[in-house]
């Protein structure tokens, strides 16, 4: 799936992603500042998160409740130096929990990513719009 969009179309983009029924573990790739976290915030809202969302840059993972027994985990592994750090914080338990896992900077943990995952590539276009490819 490929979508070209502007920031004011994020709600529609998030709805399209959810309707596409991707794997619950989604890797987000793109340059810093392209809008990965902004898209993840909108996806959380689309999935039913009612609390304020933020980047987990310093905490590594933020947890959001959708329903009593369904969660969204948002990871930002930018600051990791080794995969062992992700293992130490229990990343593999999160990834195989059956809950949504949105992962930024997954290239820092290539050996920990479950086989069943989807990938979103974001790129900023010269006109300021974004190109999204979901695989």
């Amino acid at each position: 799936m490929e979508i070209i969009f502007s920031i004011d179309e994020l709600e529609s983009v998030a709805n399209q992603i959810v309707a596409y029924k991707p794997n619950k573990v989604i890797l987000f790739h793109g340059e810093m500042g392209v809008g990965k976290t902004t898209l993840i915030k909108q996806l959380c809202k689309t999935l039913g998160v009612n609390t304020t969302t933020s980047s987990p840059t310093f905490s590594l993972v933020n947890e959001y409740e959708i329903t009593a027994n369904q969660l969204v985990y948002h990871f930002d592994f930018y600051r990791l130096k080794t995969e062992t750090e992700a293992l130490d914080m229990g990343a593999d338990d999160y990834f195989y929990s059956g809950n949504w896992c949105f992962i930024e900077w997954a290239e820092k943990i290539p050996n920990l990513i479950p086989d069943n995952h989807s990938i979103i590539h974001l790129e900023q276009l010269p006109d300021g719009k974004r190109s999204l490819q979901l695989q």
Side-chain angles (χ1 to χ4, degrees):
M1 174 169 95
E2 183 173 2
I3 306 170
I4 304 294
F5 66 97
S6 60
I7 295 299
D8 62 340
E9 297 173 299
L10 270 178
E11 184 176 349
S12 171
V13 171
N15 287 330
Q16 289 176 64
I17 291 169
V18 171
Y20 190 77
K21 298 192 185 316
N23 291 302
K24 284 193 168 182
V25 175
I26 304 177
L27 316 182
F28 290 78
H29 293 290
E31 297 293 323
M32 190 172 290
V34 75
K36 297 181 297 290
T37 300
T38 303
L39 176 58
I40 290 170
K41 287 179 181 185
Q42 184 60 55
L43 282 167
C44 288
K45 186 176 178 182
T46 298
L47 290 169
V49 172
N50 293 318
T51 57
T52 303
T53 57
S54 63
S55 176
T57 301
F58 296 102
S59 61
L60 299 181
V61 62
N62 286 345
E63 177 181 311
Y64 305 108
E65 187 173 33
I66 299 174
T67 63
N69 52 358
Q70 189 176 22
L71 303 170
V72 174
Y73 298 113
H74 177 190
F75 299 87
D76 184 335
F77 291 125
Y78 180 75
R79 295 180 337 119
L80 285 188
K81 305 236 185 312
T82 68
E83 283 184 322
T84 304
E85 292 177 76
L87 280 173
D88 289 346
M89 54 98 49
D92 51 341
D93 292 331
Y94 290 107
F95 298 163
Y96 293 96
S97 68
N99 291 299
W100 289 97
C101 293
F102 299 145
I103 306 169
E104 295 184 63
W105 303 102
E107 55 271 22
K108 299 264 191 163
I109 57 160
N111 298 307
L112 303 181
I113 301 301
D115 290 337
N116 293 326
H117 66 273
S118 294
I119 300 173
I120 289 179
H121 290 276
L122 282 173
E123 180 182 348
Q124 185 166 352
L125 302 175
D127 64 1
K129 291 187 176 186
R130 303 304 195 267
S131 169
L132 179 148
Q133 292 183 353
L134 171 59
Q135 346 175 295

